[in-house]
Amino acid sequence: MAGTVAASIADIDFIKRREGIEELFEDGTASFLSIASLHHGFKILNSLTVSAISRHTTSLALYTRKTLLALRHGNGSSVCILYGRHNSM
């Protein structure tokens, strides 16, 4: 029987299953409600141009780069080191 569990112990064979039937399918199962949004998502994708997708992808990459480079440990040192051609963005 698949599904999520409320508790488990690794050292012994113990699993406590969740109580309700709806909780058994909570993790790992795609929501059937999201199927209806596929049509709308494909309509939006079909309306976009290649240049619009490129601009959006570039802006996401730049935002991610800036956010990662801004991460600092408690002592102030950088959390991330990014390798590659940074100036191309």
Side-chain angles (χ1 to χ4, degrees), residues 32-87:
F32 68 91
L33 297 174
S34 63
I35 295 172
S37 64
L38 285 174
H39 175 69
H40 301 291
F42 284 123
K43 279 177 54 178
I44 290 170
L45 282 175
N46 287 332
S47 70
L48 295 175
T49 64
V50 174
S51 63
I53 294 170
S54 176
R55 284 192 311 272
H56 182 66
T57 304
T58 301
S59 68
L60 288 175
L62 188 58
Y63 169 79
T64 302
R65 180 181 180 273
K66 286 180 179 180
T67 302
L68 289 173
L69 291 175
L71 293 175
R72 299 279 182 237
H73 286 286
N75 63 6
S77 64
S78 296
V79 172
C80 299
I81 298 173
L82 300 180
Y83 298 95
R85 293 180 295 167
H86 302 301
N87 296 333

